[in-house]
Amino acid sequence: MFRRAVAVLLVLMIGTGLLAFAPEAEAASWDWVHEGDMPSERTLFAGARLPDGRLFISMGMVNNPVASLNETWIYDPDDGSWSQKSDSPLDGRVNSCAYLNGSVYVFTVIDMDTGQLDNRTLIYDVENDTWEFGERS
């Protein structure tokens, strides 16, 4: 019972800020920094961080008017530049993607014109700037 009372008291003290673990510490201040705009407006796109720190962006859609995109871009945060790459063979909304061993894998593209799911895996080879369809087992 005593342990439970002490635990509840500590939780209350921590929750209300009465117990400071590091009195000299200050809360971090985070500010948004505008690094530049994407080459085109888009939402629901595939995005992955590459091992060298660059960002992969592909497909997605625009809202006004509603349209699917198949463009592929890579952003380099070191110089703030965007490089256009080979277009994806599919366009549309993307559920998820991941980088692994030199390639970006894109899963479940939704065609915005028909609403149909395309469950094939798209594979983008970063070094060779090429797209292919992968096999699912």
Side-chain angles (χ1 to χ4, degrees):
M1 185 69 172
F2 176 74
R3 284 185 182 184
R4 186 177 212 174
V6 170
V8 169
L9 182 60
L10 281 174
V11 167
L12 289 173
M13 290 173 66
I14 292 169
T16 59
L18 296 176
L19 181 64
F21 287 106
E24 67 281 353
E26 293 181 24
S29 174
W30 298 97
D31 292 321
W32 287 97
V33 176
H34 186 266
E35 294 285 343
D37 295 326
M38 292 177 72
S40 62
E41 172 192 335
R42 70 185 61 222
T43 187
L44 303 170
F45 54 86
R49 182 184 180 279
L50 305 178
D52 61 6
R54 295 179 302 157
L55 302 175
F56 164 91
I57 303 292
S58 188
M59 294 170 273
M61 59 177 281
V62 293
N63 290 322
N64 194 9
V66 174
S68 296
L69 301 170
N70 69 342
E71 302 170 342
T72 300
W73 296 86
I74 292 190
Y75 175 71
D76 187 339
D78 289 339
D79 62 11
S81 66
W82 288 94
S83 301
Q84 188 163 16
K85 301 299 179 183
S86 297
D87 288 343
S88 163
L90 297 177
D91 60 347
R93 195 174 101 192
V94 176
N95 266 358
S96 62
C97 74
Y99 173 87
L100 179 67
N101 298 331
S103 296
V104 177
Y105 294 80
V106 179
F107 310 101
T108 313
V109 176
I110 302 169
D111 184 313
M112 297 310 296
D113 295 327
T114 65
Q116 296 295 316
L117 298 178
D118 192 318
N119 285 321
R120 294 176 290 179
T121 301
L122 268 172
I123 303 169
Y124 176 73
D125 183 314
V126 176
E127 184 176 333
N128 296 312
D129 187 28
T130 57
W131 287 93
E132 66 179 340
F133 288 99
E135 298 297 320
R136 285 199 171 174
S137 50

